[in-house]
Amino acid sequence: MIAGWRRWRAWARAGMRPSGTVARSMAVSLQRTLLLGLLGWHVVMVLVVVAAPTRLPTAAIAAVHLLAVAGTLAALRGRVPYVALLIGTYPVWLLDYLAARTVDDAIALAACWLGNLLYLASALGSVDRSRTWVPVLGSVAVVAALVLDDGIWTFPVASAFTVTAVVVAGVVRTAMPSLWSLADTADRYRQDLETQRAARLAGRMAGVEAAEDARVLHDTVINTLAAIAAGGGGDEERDLRIRDRCRQDLETARTLLERRPRGTARLRDVAVTEEPISVTRIGPDDAALDRLQESLPPGVAAALGGAVGEALRNVSKHAQVPEARVVISLSAEEVAIEVTDAGLGFDPARVARGSGLLESIGRRMAAVGGEAQVLSRPGEGTRVRISYRLVGSEGPSAEPEAGPDPTPECVAEDLVRRACWLLGGGIVAVGVLIEAANRPGRVTWTYAMLLLVGLGLLAAWRSARRYGRVSPRAVALLVVLLPLASLAALAGVDLGRSEVIYLQAIGVAPLLMVLVLAAPRRAVAVAVGLHLATALTVAAVVGRDDVQYAAVVLVGTAPSLLLALAWWGFTRLVRRIVTESEQVRALAAATEHETLVEREVAEGRRVWEVAGLERTVDLLERLATGQARPDDAEVRAACAAEETYLRQLLLLSPSAYRLGVWFARALAQARRRGVDLVLRCGDHDAADRLEAARVGGLVLRAVDLAPPGGSLTVSWFLTQGQAHLFLVGPRGVLTGDDDAGDAGPTDLEQLVPAGWPHEFRAVGEQEFLEVRVPTVPTGPAAAGDGTATWRMEPALPGR
């Protein structure tokens, strides 16, 4: 409640200026609805002026209203400013009053409701708080002109216009901030949800891209270095093949180092390879594959293409056959691709766990929710099957959403429902105040009408609160109450025979508004029919005495029907404008999301820059240009060392790309200083870049303190929503002093941020520094401790 009051006060002080999609949509809908109401009432005024005698020339008054119709149409098209049109309508309103012969004729009543429409249009349609008092100023000017005219209007009678204007302005200024606050809350909620979702998706895609980078590096550069280290080269033809492969791998490494985006993977190109083998593609044509790719989530096409590429490289390197087949199968449930060869085959059981063809393509497909199988036997060839389910798949690395995303339809429905209760209750409250001010101390039938309408609104509101909708019983009650309330409103002015300017012609409109919003069309038609039947019956009865009375009854019935029609138009406008605005917002959000993804992916690729991939690029360039020979012992040793280092980098979790950059920097620093650094971490990342920088700074400082030849173990894991950083090394490694004794790591402790509990211990020949980081898990390892060792185990030869 306190938060709601603060939002209301902030809106009231700020002038109720809408800025979000929903708020702007509501403001535009209100203005268009009020303009349509003014347009319709100008037409009613023309009919009344033509049918009833006036003090001024009928043709002149009708011409003025037709001119007002043209101006209103221009305002609807945006050619005339909204406020300018309202200001120009006040003189037209004054002219109608001057044309009335008595204060109780049809023209006076019609002019009275033109003024009420002007009040509402000036107060409701102006989002600037200062303009809510425009109707008061306009009414004061009109009352002064009427009193100075020395005609039929006396000050006590004419002052009722100002009373109505003051009440309308006061109620709007008090109540409208609640509606604007609702729209603002919806906008902020959707914006916050979109921001969180975009950040989550961007992080997810950055992780997917980082994993793909690692796999590409493994399938190209690392395998090439491993082949050279294992004894590649030795004859001219083989050396040429190695140089060609090094040239290809050199471009791959430069792409990662320069953080350039890879080319967009296309399914139609899955069978295109630079390997020296012939590939036959079987399955759907290019157009069908292009249509399929448009429907796939981001990253799926790249994963499929990468998996097929790795399978074809496997054929080229190990199968010892000149050709392979790529068979693409597409059904309503899944897309499957099989790569088959009739080569040597192998025994999958003899491949070391964590390595080999299945590991490579399996991780690639698992990252996007796909599957992979490798079937092979020695001497019987190999069949690789990769698949992705099109039905029921949640896309890459699916994770629970933070909460339901309100659709534009839901936002619009909530807005019009709140507006209905607010406007309906406001009409009843304004009616009570106006009646008490215009006819003080008198108990009239108007109060009975307001009581019936209030009871109907209360019953409908309670029904909606209890059942989530207006129940059929409540709808039936509204249908019954409408003609009774209409009759009571007419009885309040003696059935149109006296004090007709006090007729609260829109007092029964809230009942119609609720029916239009929540009832079946048949119930609305029945209610409107009963309302009209009541008016026609009363008009027929009082018209026997004077036709003027019948005209007053009919004119007094029109505002409630027009308001109900305007309300119907308002609800349709809100739904349409919110939906259209949401489409524009979604397009802008998609653009922002793409930019965010590109930024996060580029940030994740910094790992290769800080890890010193330049050394790998230099080595590949020397091999590609012939400056280094693959059969040279020193070159083979350099390739072996670089392969080992790169494999260690690949063990950095792609999901923890923020921390991965700092850990890669620590590994590079440890390699330069000759420190044996072991990193043990899971898939969870730092909460943000600031936290990553603080954790990474501690690790880097620890590497700097460790003496050359020393060893350091860093562990980062999660327990019960709190991240722990452990630094462990031999005595003197964390302090940089072999004779540290019981002294703590002073330099290291200074880097621990305030509020992060930490503890230093020296046990025997080991030193420990534990830092607890109060954070929330952001990676898929949240369910467990997520511990994995980032040391490479020696792989068995083979696939």
Side-chain angles (χ1 to χ4, degrees), residues 260-338:
R260 287 185 281 133
R262 291 187 300 270
T264 303
R266 298 193 304 174
L267 288 179
R268 59 161 61 190
D269 296 331
V270 292
V272 178
T273 179
E274 296 180 355
E275 302 298 328
I277 58 174
S278 174
V279 181
T280 303
R281 193 189 89 185
I282 302 172
D285 58 15
D286 290 350
L289 292 179
D290 289 343
R291 289 193 297 270
L292 169 65
Q293 183 163 348
E294 291 177 357
S295 64
L296 292 176
V300 174
L304 291 171
V308 172
E310 174 61 11
L312 292 175
R313 278 189 291 273
N314 182 79
V315 174
S316 175
K317 289 190 291 185
H318 301 290
Q320 295 187 14
V321 292
E323 60 182 4
R325 290 201 314 167
V326 175
V327 181
I328 304 175
S329 303
L330 179 61
S331 67
E333 289 77 24
E334 73 170 6
V335 54
I337 304 178
E338 291 188 355

Side-chain angles (χ1 to χ4, degrees), residues 515-549:
L515 290 170
V516 167
L517 181 65
R521 293 182 179 180
R522 182 176 301 177
V524 178
V526 171
V528 172
L530 290 174
H531 188 37
L532 284 173
T534 302
L536 291 173
T537 300
V538 173
V541 171
V542 298
R544 296 175 182 176
D545 299 331
D546 192 334
V547 177
Q548 181 70 17
Y549 299 154

